[in-house]
Amino acid sequence: MKLRLILTTAVFVSCMPHLAQVSAQTPTALPPAVTAGAKSIDPENIRAHVKFLSDDLLEGRAPGVRGGDLAAKYIATQFALYGLKPGGDNGTYFQQINFFGMTTKRDATTFALVSTSGAPIPLRFGSDYVVNNPRHTPIVDIDAPIVFVGYGVTAPEYNWDDYAGIDVRGKLVLVIVGDPPSDDPKFFAGKAMTYYGRWTYKFEQAARKGAIGALIIHRTDLASYPWTVVENSWGGEKTYLADDTTPQAAATAWIHHDIADKLFAAAHLPNADAEIEAAGKRGFKAVELPIHLKAHIDSTVRPYQSPNVVGIVPGVCQPGGICAGLGGKDQAVLYSAHYDHLGMDPTKSGDNIYNGAADNATGCGILLELARAWASLKTPPPHSVIFAAVTAEEQGLLGSEYLGQHPPILAGQIALDLNYDDLQPFGDPQQVSVTGAERTSFYPTVEATAKQFGMAIVPDPHPEAGHYYRSDHFSLARVGIPSFSIGEGTLFAGHDAAWGLAKEDDYVAHRYHNVTDNYTPDMDFTGDAKMARFGMTLGWQALTAPHTTTWRSGDEFEPARTRSLTQSTK
C-alpha cells in the first residue's frame, strides 16, 4: 500500500540482548558465495513474477477468494522449487489466519445528516461517504448525535487530549485525518506524521472511548491522497481479524470535504477548513453538534481464511541447534512483502480488476528473487533467513499483525525487518529511502552499505504522509522488532530528480489503488533488482553483526524490544 515507501520484504534478525548502540562502521565484506548470489539477482526474473501476479487471472489478489489463493499458492510453489523449508502451520508454507470480510451493500445502505432545524441531508455512497461495519452483524441502524472532537487524539506525552471533558459513548465522533499541525520535532514529530495521525488510530481511539462510530473528514493535503483512493479502497470488502477482541465501533466512515462543509453549515459553524484550523490550536474543546447521523448499514458478512506464506533458508544457528557465539541464539533475517491487493469491483463497468502491478507485485517479485538467491548458496548462512509474503495488508496490515503476534521464531531472536512495498519500475535509482532505519542501531551499517552501492540516502520526501505507519514493517515494530522499508528516491540514472518526482506524482494521481495499476512491457526492473541486492547485502550484515539490532534510546518501540529480548532469554 505504501505510497512512496518500499516493498514489504522484512528482514528478521535476532541474537542476545546487547543494548549498546553501534557506532559508524565499515560493512563486513561479503564472502564470494554471497557476492555471487547477490550478482545473480536478475531483473527479468522479477519482471516475470510481476507479470504473472498482476495478470487478470489473479483477479486483483483479494484475500480469501480465488485470486488471492492463487497468488499464495504460486508463492509457496516458488519457495518449494527453491528448496526453502516450510515455515507455516503443520509443516506447510501457509500460516492460516481467520478473518471475516464486511462488504457494505451500497444500494441498501443509507446515510443522512439530520439537524434540529432544516431538512435532512441525504448522502450518496462513494461520492459523499464510504462506511464499513467492523462488527460481525449484517445490519446496523444508527441514530446518534455527532460530536466534533478535532483530531481525535489522546496523547499525554504532548499534553493533548481532544476527548477531554466530553462523553462520546453511544455517539458519532467527527474527526480530522492527520496530526495536529506542528513545526516542532518534539511536538507530534513536527512535519512528520505520527501514528496519532493515521486513520486506523482514529477509529481505534473512537472505539476505546465508547463511540458507536466515527466519521473522518477527508482533505487531500492532510491525507496525502485524493478522495478517489478512499473511495476505491473502501468501496469493496473490508477485512478484520476474526479473533480480535479489541473494541470496535459499529460504523467506521470517511466523508468528503464538501460534505464536511455542509455538516458544519447545518450546525451554524464556519466551513470545514476554518474548523480544522481551530482544532489544531491549544485550547480546542470538543463540541456536540446539533446534528444527528441517521444511518442504515447493510452488509454481507463473509468468514474466511487467508494465509501468510512463510519459507525459511535454515542457518547454522537455529533454535535448538549448534550456534557459535551470540549465546546460542539464532539471529534470523526475514524478508517480507504483502501479496494481496484490492480484488475486483463488480459495480464497475469495463475494467474492474485492481491488478496491483506496482502495489505490490513488485514487492513479491523482489521477495521471490531474494529467496532464490539466498537458497542458491552452497553453504548455509550463519543464521536463518526467513521470507514472508503476507496477506491483508490493504485491509489494515492484518497479515503482518498476525505474523508479528505469531512469528516463526521468538520476536526477541529477530533483529531486523527490511520491508519492500511498491517499488516503482522506473529504472536505476541513484537514491534510496530507508525511513525508520535512522531510529535503529543498525543505521550506520545502512549508511555505509548505501555508499557502497553509490546511492544517497534521502529523507522521506513526504513525512507528513506518515508512511512509516502505512506498511507491514510497522506491525513488526509494534512487537519490538527493529523494522524499516527500503525504497527508491526520485533520482534515476539518465534523468533529473524532477523527472522522478513527476513519475511518482503521476502514479499517485492516476494508478495508485486504481484499476490502472497494470503491468506494461516498458517497465524497467533494473532498480527493483538493485534494491534486492542492497537488501541481501544488508541481510548479510545483520546475520554477522556482533550485537542484535535495537531501537535507539527513547524511541516509541524501545520498550517492546526490551520486553522481547528479555522473553527470548527465558
Side-chain angles (χ1 to χ4, degrees):
M1 166 192 276
K2 68 116 192 165
L3 242 170
R4 189 119 291 300
L5 263 182
I6 0 188
L7 264 316
T8 309
T9 313
V11 174
F12 288 135
V13 184
S14 84
C15 60
M16 291 299 289
H18 302 282
L19 301 180
Q21 301 297 320
V22 179
S23 59
Q25 60 189 67
T26 300
T28 304
L30 300 184
V34 179
T35 299
K39 287 183 176 179
S40 77
I41 290 173
D42 188 342
E44 292 307 304
N45 289 345
I46 298 173
R47 177 190 300 277
H49 294 310
V50 172
K51 184 177 181 180
F52 177 79
L53 288 168
S54 60
D55 191 89
D56 282 356
L57 174 70
L58 276 71
E59 300 171 346
R61 306 190 305 277
V65 295
R66 191 183 81 100
D69 291 344
L70 282 175
K73 289 177 180 178
Y74 174 82
I75 293 166
T77 299
Q78 299 302 313
F79 284 173
L81 289 172
Y82 302 151
L84 272 63
K85 176 184 174 183
D89 305 331
N90 304 315
T92 72
Y93 292 103
F94 302 116
Q95 185 184 56
Q96 292 290 354
I97 308 171
N98 295 318
F99 296 102
F100 67 93
M102 301 294 293
T103 303
T104 304
K105 298 178 182 178
R106 300 181 181 217
D107 294 339
T109 295
T110 58
F111 250 47
L113 303 175
V114 182
S115 65
T116 54
S117 61
I121 304 173
L123 306 184
R124 296 166 297 174
F125 189 99
S127 58
D128 294 342
Y129 77 98
V130 290
V131 67
N132 203 266
N133 170 16
R135 299 177 181 176
H136 297 257
T137 54
I139 301 291
V140 171
D141 287 297
I142 295 173
D143 187 356
I146 296 174
V147 180
F148 179 47
V149 294
Y151 286 88
V153 169
T154 301
E157 67 273 33
Y158 301 127
N159 192 28
W160 190 281
D161 186 2
D162 287 320
Y163 285 92
I166 197 158
D167 184 358
V168 299
R169 287 176 293 181
K171 302 173 184 178
L172 266 293
V173 296
L174 178 67
V175 296
I176 307 162
V177 68
D179 284 321
S182 171
D183 292 318
D184 180 0
K186 296 181 179 180
F187 181 68
F188 287 101
K191 294 296 185 183
M193 182 185 286
T194 71
Y195 186 60
Y196 293 120
R198 290 287 291 137
W199 59 264
T200 47
Y201 171 83
K202 311 295 185 182
F203 292 145
E204 291 165 358
Q205 185 66 355
R208 284 191 288 264
K209 292 293 184 178
I212 194 170
L215 310 174
I216 296 179
I217 301 171
H218 175 270
R219 201 173 80 179
T220 297
D221 61 323
L222 299 179
S224 79
Y225 40 78
W227 177 257
T228 54
V229 171
V230 176
E231 184 177 358
N232 290 337
S233 302
W234 285 74
E237 182 180 75
K238 296 297 291 182
T239 291
Y240 304 90
L241 290 170
D243 301 323
D244 190 356
T245 58
T246 58
Q248 298 287 346
T252 52
W254 291 72
I255 59 172
H256 195 281
H257 184 270
D258 292 348
I259 300 304
D261 278 338
K262 293 181 179 180
L263 193 159
F264 285 119
H268 308 293
L269 292 172
N271 60 31
D273 290 341
E275 292 302 315
I276 289 171
E277 182 179 359
K281 298 177 180 178
R282 285 205 180 275
F284 166 81
K285 299 293 184 183
V287 58
E288 184 171 322
L289 305 178
I291 308 282
H292 275 225
L293 176 73
K294 189 170 185 178
H296 173 80
I297 305 170
D298 194 341
S299 306
T300 299
V301 183
R302 181 176 70 96
Y304 69 90
Q305 286 189 326
S306 182
N308 291 330
V309 189
V310 184
I312 302 172
V313 175
V316 175
C317 181
Q318 304 173 55
I322 298 173
C323 180
L326 298 170
K329 299 295 183 181
D330 201 358
Q331 180 168 298
V333 172
L334 167 72
Y335 297 91
S336 71
H338 79 88
Y339 68 84
D340 68 295
H341 200 50
L342 302 177
M344 302 173 64
D345 184 351
T347 68
K348 284 184 178 289
S349 59
D351 184 5
N352 66 349
I353 301 175
Y354 294 87
N355 295 102
D359 185 12
N360 185 38
T362 55
C364 293
I366 291 175
L367 176 71
L368 289 169
E369 186 63 354
L370 277 166
R372 184 201 60 76
W374 277 105
S376 70
L377 302 183
K378 302 302 182 183
T379 302
H383 302 278
S384 300
V385 184
I386 305 170
F387 302 86
V390 298
T391 187
E393 188 268 0
E394 302 289 9
Q395 307 298 324
L397 315 182
L398 298 181
S400 58
E401 179 180 342
Y402 188 89
L403 179 68
Q405 295 169 354
H406 305 85
I409 62 175
L410 293 174
Q413 295 182 20
I414 296 171
L416 185 68
D417 163 35
L418 298 178
N419 185 54
Y420 289 93
D421 187 0
D422 196 346
L423 279 82
Q424 295 295 328
F426 291 160
D428 183 6
Q430 307 301 292
Q431 299 171 330
V432 63
S433 171
V434 288
T435 301
E438 74 283 356
R439 301 168 64 168
T440 74
S441 61
F442 194 62
Y443 189 55
T445 300
V446 177
E447 290 181 300
T449 304
K451 185 176 181 180
Q452 285 185 339
F453 274 75
M455 295 189 295
I457 294 177
V458 294
D460 184 351
H462 299 291
E464 73 282 357
H467 289 134
Y468 190 81
Y469 304 97
R470 291 167 61 174
S471 198
D472 290 303
H473 61 260
F474 172 55
S475 297
L476 303 167
R478 293 181 89 170
V479 298
I481 300 167
S483 310
F484 60 92
S485 284
I486 300 172
E488 308 123 322
T490 58
L491 183 62
F492 292 82
H495 304 279
D496 60 16
W499 179 89
L501 184 60
K503 293 279 285 185
E504 179 70 19
D505 288 345
D506 178 70
Y507 167 73
V508 173
H510 300 113
R511 292 186 297 285
Y512 175 65
H513 280 204
N514 209 321
V515 296
T516 49
D517 183 9
N518 297 319
Y519 168 81
T520 58
D522 62 345
M523 287 178 167
D524 184 349
F525 291 92
T526 301
D528 294 62
K530 186 174 185 177
M531 292 302 175
R533 296 186 194 105
F534 180 64
M536 187 169 186
T537 303
L538 289 179
W540 180 262
Q541 305 300 330
L543 290 172
T544 55
H547 306 290
T548 193
T549 305
T550 60
W551 295 99
R552 294 198 179 276
S553 178
D555 192 89
E556 65 182 296
F557 303 116
E558 183 189 22
R561 184 61 170 167
T562 301
R563 289 192 297 271
S564 69
L565 290 170
T566 301
Q567 292 166 358
S568 71
T569 61
K570 292 181 179 180

